[in-house]
Amino acid sequence: MRYHPSVLILGYSEAAMFLKQPEAADVSAIISIYGHREYPIEPEFQCKRLTVQFDDAEVECEKDPLRASQLRIRRRDAAEIGLIQSPPTISHAREIIGFAKQIESLGGTLICQCLGGISRSSAAALLCLAVWKGMGAESDCVQEVLRIRPAAQPHRGLVCFGDEILSRSGRLVAAIDVIRP
C-alpha cells in the first residue's frame, strides 16, 4: 500500500474557516485555485503550497466543433460585458501533477481549494489521487473524491489534461463520466 497525504476538498470560505481550527495543524500542503474575480486562501502558517489561477470555465474541445463554437460565442458575449474567464490549460494540470509527486511522502493533510469546492478543487484532488494510486485505480480515485466531497463535479477539462499527461488513455475521463456526463 502506498502512503500519501489525506485529502480535503473545500470551498474558499470553508478552507478559510478550517485553517483557523486546531485541526489545521495537520495541514502539510495546499492547492489553491482561484479565478480572475476570486482570491486564494492565505494560511497563517508554513506549508507546501501550489497557487494556480484559472476560472471555472470550459475547455474548448477540438473533437466537438459545435460545442467549441457555442463556447466561443459564450466567451465573446461574456467579454462584451467585461467578464473574462480563463479556462485551465495543460500547464495547470502539469503543475498539479508535479506538486502531487512532490508532496506524496509528506503525510498530513492536503487541502484542495477553489471558490465553491465543487469543480476545480475536486479535479485537482482527483489528479493527485491518480498520481498516488497509480494506473488502473481511476474509478477508485473518483469514488474517493466523492467520499471526501459528495457534491464533487470534477472539472472535465482539467481531468482531460491530467488523463493525457498521466497516459491513462481516457480512463480517468471515463471514470468521471459516471458522475458528470
Side-chain angles (χ1 to χ4, degrees), residues 131-153:
V131 167
W132 299 334
K133 293 182 181 237
M135 194 81 68
E138 293 80 13
S139 291
D140 292 341
C141 294
V142 170
Q143 292 308 309
E144 177 80 2
V145 165
L146 290 173
R147 184 191 63 71
I148 296 165
R149 187 74 164 184
Q153 293 287 315

Side-chain angles (χ1 to χ4, degrees), residues 62-81:
E62 295 172 7
K63 295 177 185 173
D64 188 347
L66 177 61
R67 189 170 178 165
S69 177
Q70 292 168 336
L71 179 57
R72 283 191 296 274
I73 291 168
R74 281 197 304 273
R75 282 195 188 137
R76 184 197 65 216
D77 292 347
E80 285 177 4
I81 60 168

Side-chain angles (χ1 to χ4, degrees), residues 42-88:
E42 298 291 339
E44 297 176 4
F45 55 87
Q46 293 290 89
C47 66
K48 298 277 187 184
R49 286 193 67 195
L50 174 63
T51 303
V52 188
Q53 185 176 17
F54 62 87
D55 294 290
D56 193 3
E58 286 184 64
V59 173
E60 200 170 306
C61 179
E62 295 172 7
K63 295 177 185 173
D64 188 347
L66 177 61
R67 189 170 178 165
S69 177
Q70 292 168 336
L71 179 57
R72 283 191 296 274
I73 291 168
R74 281 197 304 273
R75 282 195 188 137
R76 184 197 65 216
D77 292 347
E80 285 177 4
I81 60 168
L83 180 61
I84 297 171
Q85 292 196 321
S86 301

Side-chain angles (χ1 to χ4, degrees), residues 2-5 98-107 128 131-133:
R2 296 169 69 174
Y3 295 98
H4 57 79
F99 188 73
K101 291 175 180 176
Q102 179 185 9
I103 65 168
E104 181 172 8
S105 62
L106 275 184
C128 291
V131 167
W132 299 334
K133 293 182 181 237

Side-chain angles (χ1 to χ4, degrees), residues 97 123 126-131 134 137-142 154 156 158-178:
I97 289 167
L126 178 58
L127 295 184
C128 291
L129 290 167
V131 167
E138 293 80 13
S139 291
D140 292 341
C141 294
V142 170
R156 185 179 179 82
L158 188 60
V159 173
C160 284
F161 291 137
D163 188 287
E164 180 181 329
I165 294 164
L166 295 171
S167 302
R168 299 299 170 91
S169 303
R171 290 187 303 275
L172 204 50
V173 175
I176 67 165
D177 281 345
V178 173

